[in-house]
Amino acid sequence: MIKFFELGMLILFGISWPVSIYKSYKSRVVGSKSVIFLFAVMLGYLSGIINKFLNDLDYVTVFYFINMLMVAVDAILYFRNKKLEKQEQKNIKI
């Protein structure tokens, strides 16, 4: 039963990441996104993965990896958007 709730938490949290990735990709701006928050979430998922490997490796582990991968993609887009914003500022000043 515990795995059911753990899986539910991972799936429900995981639903938000594709939306965030899409918005980051389309907007091409950082906005109010926090890279520290993204890294903290990745560290949380990594802690869950380590716990699974040490105590109870099962199919739920896959969802930790999927969520961590989506957060990593969002973090990569953060740095891409930061670079695009700097380029845009340079173009405006010229």
Side-chain angles (χ1 to χ4, degrees), residues 2-39:
I2 291 172
K3 289 180 185 179
F4 173 78
F5 290 111
E6 181 181 16
L7 182 59
M9 182 255 329
L10 288 168
I11 289 171
L12 291 171
F13 282 176
I15 289 171
S16 65
W17 295 117
V19 173
S20 182
I21 290 168
Y22 177 78
K23 286 182 175 182
S24 293
Y25 180 76
K26 292 300 273 184
S27 72
R28 300 172 65 96
V29 295
V30 172
S32 62
K33 189 164 294 220
S34 168
V35 73
I36 293 171
F37 173 76
L38 293 173
F39 283 126

Side-chain angles (χ1 to χ4, degrees), residues 28 79-89:
R28 300 172 65 96
F79 289 110
R80 178 202 77 157
N81 292 346
K82 193 83 163 165
K83 183 178 177 181
L84 290 173
E85 284 181 350
K86 285 182 182 179
Q87 287 176 349
E88 184 65 29
Q89 287 176 353

Side-chain angles (χ1 to χ4, degrees), residues 7-8 46 65-66 68 72 79:
L7 182 59
L46 182 60
F65 276 110
I66 292 169
M68 193 169 81
F79 289 110

